[in-house]
Amino acid sequence: MEEVKVIVFALNNEEYGIEVDKVRTIERMMPITRVPKTYSFIKGVVNLRGIVVPVIDLRGRFGLEETPVTDNSRIIVVALEEMEVGFIVDSANDVIDIDRDTIDSPPEVVGGIKAKYLDGIAKLGENRLLIMLNLAEVLNKSEISMLEQLEV
């Protein structure tokens, strides 16, 4: 029985998970410097302890309705192909251990989000599902190269 540690966050009243080893830090919202000529879901960049980090609104990325930032909103900074990227989420709730055996393949669409963005669905107890994100698909190669140019 192999367990994986997961950061649980909320988006559009659904719970999502990212493996802890891919997460650098979780930050409160901070001023974001807008960058022109980027995708609308790329909100801009932040200066995080001297490192320029591109920030993406996951709601916008997944085609969900964007909502105003609240006190619970967080930026989850993940490591993705030798760079760091921040994801704006509604809240970051918890760190839990999940048995890998409880993670099933995702259906075609979950909560309006296409399966390619998902790694799987973890069943936690009777009525709780956790949607595992596939970070490699959340940003495709051309978007990653665009973000790398933002860092210059």
Side-chain angles (χ1 to χ4, degrees):
M1 184 169 93
E2 185 187 356
E3 287 197 330
V4 58
K5 251 192 196 335
V6 173
I7 302 270
V8 178
F9 67 91
L11 201 62
N12 204 32
N13 298 320
E14 302 279 353
E15 285 188 306
Y16 293 82
I18 299 177
E19 292 181 30
V20 166
D21 62 358
K22 294 181 171 76
V23 176
R24 292 284 188 250
T25 180
I26 299 174
E27 302 288 332
R28 292 188 174 278
M29 290 303 294
M30 59 186 77
I32 297 172
T33 303
R34 187 84 183 122
V35 178
K37 296 185 180 146
T38 57
Y39 296 104
S40 62
F41 60 84
I42 299 174
K43 292 304 171 192
V45 294
V46 296
N47 182 341
L48 197 59
R49 295 178 274 290
I51 298 170
V52 175
V53 177
V55 177
I56 290 170
D57 186 336
L58 273 188
R59 282 176 165 273
R61 177 64 177 121
F62 294 155
L64 302 171
E65 181 184 344
E66 292 187 31
T67 59
V69 169
T70 69
D71 287 344
N72 292 327
S73 298
R74 295 290 181 268
I75 299 174
I76 298 177
V77 179
V78 299
L80 200 61
E81 293 197 13
E82 307 301 313
M83 68 179 293
E84 293 185 356
V85 178
F87 293 136
I88 298 174
V89 300
D90 296 350
S91 64
N93 306 326
D94 214 352
V95 178
I96 60 172
D97 292 317
I98 297 177
D99 180 350
R100 280 206 189 274
D101 295 340
T102 66
I103 301 175
D104 291 335
S105 298
E108 282 304 303
V109 175
V110 177
I113 297 171
K114 295 184 184 92
K116 72 176 185 174
Y117 299 129
L118 311 178
D119 238 2
I121 307 286
K123 290 186 218 108
L124 310 176
E126 285 290 307
N127 299 316
R128 188 175 176 200
L129 295 176
L130 186 67
I131 304 164
M132 301 297 295
L133 277 193
N134 178 347
L135 293 181
E137 285 295 336
V138 171
L139 291 177
N140 66 34
K141 298 277 187 223
S142 68
E143 292 163 346
I144 289 171
S145 64
M146 177 190 272
L147 290 177
E148 286 170 342
Q149 293 165 10
L150 295 180
E151 292 189 289
V152 176

